Each structure stands twice: as C-alpha cells, then as structure tokens.
C-alpha cells in the first residue's frame, strides 16, 4: 500500500459526514471488472459496518477499535454477497469517470433502503490495473420518496409517459402492451415482456411482449417453460431487487444457480438480460423481463426499470384484485362453476344476441336427485362432496359449454358450440356416468333450438322436461323423495 496515497485519501474521506469509503477497482486483462476492495474508510462507515456485522461469526472477536484494520484492504464480499450490479457501477465510476447516484431497495438483505453515491477519484494507483472511486451511502428504514424520485429528466419523462399510458381508459392488456413496446425501444433491447405469476396455482402468463421487428413469438417461447424455471427466478431475487446479466461472465454466475433457465437463455441467443420482480405485500406477483438490451446504458436502464416496476406492480396487483372480485361475483366457490348471478347476466345478454342473430344452440337442466337425503342422513359435508362430484362430472363432459349452478342442487348448461347430435351424445354420457341412485344421479331435461333464437323459451322447455325426469326417478325410488 502506498502510505502517502493512503494518507491523502484517508484524510479526504474523513470530511464526508455520511458513511464513505475509497474503494479500489481492478480491471482484468479482458477489460472486465476484477476484485473490489475497501481502501480507506471514514468513521461513520466504520460505525455503520460495525453495527451491522460485529456480531457475525466472521467478526465476533474483533473490537470496535480494531474494526477499521479488519475492513481496509479486504474484498467487499467479506461481509456482503457478490453483487454484479454493484460491481458494474463501481467499475463505471472508477474507470469511466461516471458520477452515479442510485436509490436501491436492499430491505431483503439489510432491512434498509440504500442510497448509493459513487464518485470517480483522480488519484492514480501504482498499479495500472487499479483505479479508485468513492462510495458513500445513506440508509432509510422506509422508502424516502424524495430520494427515489431524484432521477434524470430523461428517466422521469419516460416513467411519467408510461404511467399516463397505464392510467388511460384502455384495457389492462392493451396498456401493458403499449408500455412494453415503449420500454423495449427506450432500452434499445431485442425483447421486453411482462409476466404475471400465480404461485398458488403454479402458473404464469405473458401478459404483454414486444420484439424487435417482430422476429419471434415470446409467448410461444415461454409456453415451453416449465413452472420450475419461473420458480427459480424467485430464489435468485431473494436478496436483490433485480437480476442483471450484462455479459458472459454474469451468465456463467447465474448458470450455477439456475442452470435450466440459463439453458433456455443460451438456446435463444440471450447475451444480456434484466429481470425485475413485482413485489406486492412481500409476495412476487410478476416480472419485467428484458433481453439483449444496450449494456452501455446499464445504469440509466437500471434506474428506469426499478422506478417503473413500482407502478407496474401496482397495476398488476390491481388487475389481480379485479380478477378476484370478478371470480367471486361470478363463480360458485363450492363447485367452481358459474353461479346464479353470472347465469342471469349471460341469459340476459345471450337472449338479446340470439334474438338479433339467431343461431343453433342447446340448453339443459341437470338436477341432483337425492341431495336432501344425503344432507339429512350423512351430513352437509357429504352433501358438499356430492355437489363437487356433480360439478366435476359436468365440467368433464361439457368442457366447452357454459355451466351454471342455478340453485342448491340444480345446474344449467348453455351450449353454443355443439350440433344437436353432439349435444345429445353429451347428455347420454352424463346419464351413463351419473346413474347411481345412492350417490350421483341427475334428473335431466334438455332442448335444442335450431333457428328460433328464443333462449328463455328453450330454458323453460328444458326445465319442464327435467321435472318429468325427476318424477320418473322418484316413482322408481320413492324412498328418496323428501
């Protein structure tokens, strides 16, 4: 260590009122970033680090007085996980002379939001492969919106434009598509997409995607991904607010943790990537996924996507909330088929459409025989199980048709996609499968309308035929009548 250089930089850093350190950044022969070490630290940095790491196993026996000597000269990874994004900004500050100010969500790692400030240092090292920069930081338990909003006019303009697009009157998917297209162009990337995740169902959806010159179908590519690949992203994002791959070195690092995912990246010629999770109430609900972006603008792109992701997260969360509300208002929770409210809405709408533009359709009423007997003798839990079995059978046979739970033990089918013969075949299959008088048995009435277009009249005919079938059932099994 050059003692004179150390003394000068140590004195310089001591004037900073916030935690600050001079760090050395090595440039490897291939021009990439090598080792990053703490060269000189100030007193606030020493105290901050001591408070965070003194009780760790590595530093358990080091006193506060000696903590300074234990930090200076050491790799930054002695206490912190290796962070490619941090190394990138350090390299740009030390070797490219860039001034960098970022506000980062590091609550997963330290429980704080971190403002990182990096300044280039003009002092020259004796080693031509070493350059210096100053790294300072502030910590906030809660997000400081003032710091978070301190971005360049270019970034602010783009994010505001995106927010206005999200808040217009367009539908969710259309707005997302427009924002994704703008983002791909802004980042000069090959492709950009927004992916939502349902961890309970272990499913995901590409809600929007944009590719340069429409070269590829991103949704088709993602359709071949097993859910386990999406699941691996969450593990990678556990201690960081985004994953950035800027070169082959970063790709190799990620490959050790998520080999299946990186295999798909290599197969699709992905050289650089930015993956930003949408975190809502401590749960990941989606991702922003950008490939082959302009790595020379990495810092600007990183700030942009991290800021934009907050608004996209809110939009996705609101979309999920509205979907859940729609589901709860239209779906019978016990059986999973549409409920009476949804049936009434569909009948109203279809009645008008069929009257204006008649087309062939079929309807059926399917009423469970003996549900009250099961409830009375076996209990309502068994009755609920019977209803679920009944609904599952209907969903299996009438998978392309509308199925409603019209009442307690009554289901209604409306089919716009079947010929009369096909629908009658489905009815035959239903009667064959649901013929157990002691468990699952339907009274069925159905009607096919070829050209009249009167849905309500067809439903009335089907209902009357169902009651005739039910009377025949009780004549054969009088003990089931209640």
């Amino acid at each position: 260590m050059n003692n004179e250089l150390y003394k000068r930089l140590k004195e310089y850093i001591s004037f900073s009122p916030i935690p600050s350190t001079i760090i050395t950044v090595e440039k490897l022969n291939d021009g990439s970033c090598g080792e990053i070490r703490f060269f000189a630290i100030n007193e606030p940095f020493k105290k901050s680090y001591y408070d965070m790491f003194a009780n760790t196993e590595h530093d358990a026996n080091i006193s506060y007085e000696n903590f300074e000597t234990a930090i200076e000269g050491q790799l930054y990874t002695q206490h912190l996980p290796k962070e490619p994004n941090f190394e990138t900004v350090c390299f740009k500050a030390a070797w490219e002379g860039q001034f960098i100010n970022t506000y980062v969500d590091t609550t997963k790692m330290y429980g704080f939001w971190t403002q990182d400030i990096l300044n280039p240092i003009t002092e020259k090292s004796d080693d031509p492969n070493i350059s210096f920069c100053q790294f300072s930081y502030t910590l906030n338990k809660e997000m400081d919106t003032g710091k978070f909003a301190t971005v360049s006019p270019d970034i602010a303009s783009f994010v505001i434009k995106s927010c206005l697009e999200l808040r217009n009157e367009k539908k969710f998917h259309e707005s997302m598509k427009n924002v994704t297209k703008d983002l791909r162009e802004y980042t000069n990337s090959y492709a950009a997409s927004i992916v939502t995740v349902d961890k309970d169902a272990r499913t995901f959806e590409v809600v929007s995607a944009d590719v340069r010159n429409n070269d590829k179908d991103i949704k088709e590519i993602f359709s071949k991904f097993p859910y386990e690949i999406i699941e691996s992203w969450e593990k990678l994002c556990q201690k960081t607010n985004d994953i950035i791959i800027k070169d082959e070195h970063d790709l190799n690092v990620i490959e050790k943790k998520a080999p299946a995912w990186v295999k798909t990246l290599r197969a699709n010629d992905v050289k650089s990537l930015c993956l930003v999770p949408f975190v809502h109430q401590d749960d990941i609900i989606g991702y922003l996924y950008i490939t082959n972006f302009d790595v020379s603008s990495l810092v600007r792109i990183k700030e942009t996507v991290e800021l934009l992701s907050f608004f996209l997260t809110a939009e996705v969360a609101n979309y999920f909330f509205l979907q859940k509300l729609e589901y709860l208002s239209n779906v019978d929770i016990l059986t999973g088929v549409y409920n009476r409210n949804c049936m009434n809405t569909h009948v109203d709408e279809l009645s008008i459409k069929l009257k204006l533009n008649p087309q062939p359709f079929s309807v059926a009423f399917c009423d469970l025989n003996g549900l009250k007997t099961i409830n009375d003798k076996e209990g309502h839990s068994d009755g609920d199980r019977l209803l679920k079995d009944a609904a599952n059978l209907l969903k299996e046979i009438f998978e392309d048709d509308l199925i409603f739970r019209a009442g307690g033990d009554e289901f209604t089918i409306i089919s716009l996609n079947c010929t009369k013969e096909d629908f009658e075949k489905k009815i035959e299959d239903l009667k064959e499968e649901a013929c157990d008088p002691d468990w699952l048995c339907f009274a069925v009435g159905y009607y096919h309308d070829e050209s009249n277009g009167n849905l309500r009249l067809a439903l009335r005919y089907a209902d009357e035929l169902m009651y005739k079938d039910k009377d025949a059932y009780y004549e054969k099994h009088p003990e089931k009548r209640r």
Side-chain angles (χ1 to χ4, degrees):
M1 180 183 294
N2 185 320
N3 288 334
E4 290 301 318
L5 178 59
Y6 170 77
K7 289 178 182 178
R8 288 199 304 273
L9 293 178
K10 184 77 169 177
E11 182 180 7
Y12 165 76
I13 207 72
S14 67
F15 289 109
S16 174
I18 62 175
S20 300
T21 176
I22 303 296
I23 59 179
T24 61
V25 182
E26 179 188 22
K27 180 192 283 188
L28 300 178
N29 292 334
D30 63 359
S32 62
C33 183
E35 294 181 344
I36 296 178
R37 296 178 180 271
F38 298 124
F39 184 71
I41 66 173
N42 67 1
E43 192 65 23
F45 188 96
K46 173 183 173 181
K47 184 178 187 308
S48 175
Y49 252 53
Y50 187 82
D51 290 343
M52 283 194 288
F53 300 112
N55 293 324
T56 60
E57 182 179 349
H58 187 277
D59 301 307
N61 299 319
I62 302 176
S63 65
Y64 181 75
E65 291 74 18
N66 296 324
F67 204 67
E68 187 170 346
T69 58
I71 297 175
E72 291 183 344
Q74 299 298 318
L75 293 168
Y76 85 95
T77 51
Q78 178 181 351
H79 297 97
L80 303 173
K82 184 176 178 63
E83 177 53 71
N85 297 341
F86 175 71
E87 293 181 2
T88 297
V89 294
C90 288
F91 190 86
K92 287 183 176 294
W95 284 99
E96 299 176 15
Q98 294 190 21
F99 292 85
I100 298 169
N101 184 346
T102 63
Y103 195 56
V104 184
D105 180 5
T106 53
T107 52
K108 295 179 182 178
M109 289 188 286
Y110 319 121
F112 295 94
W113 281 77
T114 305
Q115 180 187 21
D116 293 340
I117 306 164
L118 292 104
N119 300 317
I121 298 294
T122 57
E123 291 280 2
K124 299 298 182 183
S125 170
D126 294 337
D127 186 342
N129 295 320
I130 296 294
S131 194
F132 299 99
C133 70
Q134 176 186 349
F135 169 59
S136 307
Y137 65 85
T138 63
L139 302 176
N140 301 100
K141 273 291 186 182
E142 303 293 336
M143 183 180 72
D144 185 326
T145 54
K147 291 179 180 177
F148 195 65
T150 306
V151 295
S152 69
D154 169 50
I155 294 175
S157 176
F158 176 79
V159 173
I160 291 172
K161 178 178 180 293
S162 298
C163 290
L164 291 174
E165 176 64 43
L166 293 172
R167 289 292 86 203
N168 65 23
E169 297 301 319
K170 296 176 183 176
K171 294 182 179 180
F172 171 78
H173 286 82
E174 185 178 354
S175 293
M176 286 296 190
K177 182 179 180 180
N178 291 338
V179 169
T180 304
K181 180 177 184 297
D182 291 343
L183 184 61
R184 188 200 61 74
E185 294 174 350
Y186 181 82
T187 58
N188 193 22
S189 56
Y190 175 73
S193 53
I194 293 172
V195 182
T196 58
V197 179
D198 185 341
K199 291 199 291 185
D200 293 334
R202 293 178 61 79
T203 59
F204 63 93
E205 177 192 2
V206 180
V207 299
S208 64
D210 189 77
V211 183
R212 185 184 298 154
N213 300 325
N214 295 316
D215 285 346
K216 292 184 178 180
D217 186 339
I218 295 297
K219 293 187 178 183
E220 181 181 354
I221 292 173
F222 270 81
S223 68
K224 300 174 183 177
F225 285 13
Y227 181 77
E228 285 73 17
I229 286 182
I230 312 301
E231 201 170 35
S232 71
W233 299 351
E234 182 173 4
K235 296 177 182 178
L236 292 171
C237 294
Q238 282 179 347
K239 292 187 177 181
T240 184
N241 56 326
D242 55 40
I243 299 295
I244 292 181
I245 297 172
K246 63 183 183 302
D247 51 30
E248 182 66 21
H249 175 267
D250 293 347
L251 202 61
N252 290 334
V253 171
I254 297 297
E255 189 170 25
K256 295 176 182 177
K257 302 175 182 178
W261 177 37
V262 173
K263 184 178 180 180
T264 68
L265 297 181
R266 295 190 188 281
N268 289 282
D269 199 31
V270 174
K271 307 295 184 183
S272 61
L273 179 140
C274 182
L275 178 72
V276 186
F278 300 151
V279 182
H280 178 67
Q281 296 180 347
D282 298 324
D283 202 18
I284 293 179
I285 59 174
Y287 296 89
L288 181 59
Y289 194 96
I290 303 171
T291 59
N292 291 349
F293 62 88
D294 181 7
V295 294
S296 66
S297 302
L298 176 60
V299 175
R300 174 177 63 85
I301 290 173
K302 185 176 186 297
E303 288 189 23
T304 302
V305 296
E306 287 179 354
L307 181 57
L308 181 59
S309 69
F310 275 85
F311 301 102
L312 291 174
T313 298
E315 199 68 20
V316 170
N318 184 61
Y319 172 67
F320 279 165
F321 175 71
L322 293 177
Q323 277 193 319
K324 188 173 182 179
L325 279 182
E326 183 178 0
Y327 180 86
L328 292 174
S329 63
N330 290 294
V331 175
D332 178 60
I333 301 302
L334 177 64
T335 62
V337 301
Y338 291 121
N339 61 20
R340 177 81 185 200
N341 174 65
C342 185
M343 174 180 150
N344 291 338
T345 301
H346 271 80
V347 168
D348 288 343
E349 293 177 355
L350 286 173
S351 293
I352 295 173
K353 290 179 181 178
L354 290 170
K355 185 175 183 180
L356 295 175
N357 183 27
Q359 67 178 81
F361 67 92
S362 299
V363 297
F365 275 101
C366 308
D367 195 279
L368 270 173
N369 292 320
L371 175 62
K372 190 174 188 308
T373 301
I374 295 292
N375 281 331
D376 291 345
K377 291 186 175 181
E378 308 297 334
H380 283 276
S381 60
D382 275 17
D384 288 348
R385 187 160 60 88
L386 174 57
L387 284 166
K388 291 178 184 178
D389 286 351
N392 288 336
L393 179 60
L394 291 173
K395 285 185 282 187
E396 179 182 330
I397 295 175
F398 299 93
E399 60 178 342
D400 298 321
D401 303 313
L402 296 170
I403 308 170
F404 307 92
R405 185 181 176 192
D409 54 4
E410 188 175 277
F411 296 85
T412 303
I413 315 293
I414 299 178
S415 175
L416 303 173
N417 305 306
C418 277
T419 64
K420 179 181 180 181
E421 292 73 19
D422 288 340
F423 193 76
E424 289 178 343
K425 177 63 169 61
K426 290 181 179 182
I427 296 295
E428 290 176 12
D429 292 343
L430 178 64
K431 289 183 175 182
E432 287 180 8
E433 293 291 333
C435 60
D436 182 356
D438 295 321
W439 184 247
L440 180 52
C441 184
F442 275 120
V444 180
Y446 66 95
Y447 185 84
H448 177 78
D449 186 298
E450 190 64 35
S451 59
N452 186 43
N454 193 326
L455 177 60
R456 296 184 189 280
L457 183 62
L459 287 169
R460 190 177 77 190
Y461 289 157
D463 192 38
E464 291 174 353
L465 292 170
M466 181 273 291
Y467 276 106
K468 289 183 179 180
D469 193 36
K470 182 172 282 290
D471 287 341
Y473 169 82
Y474 284 128
E475 285 181 13
K476 188 174 181 180
H477 303 282
E479 75 281 2
K480 301 291 185 181
R481 188 184 294 273
R482 289 289 188 275

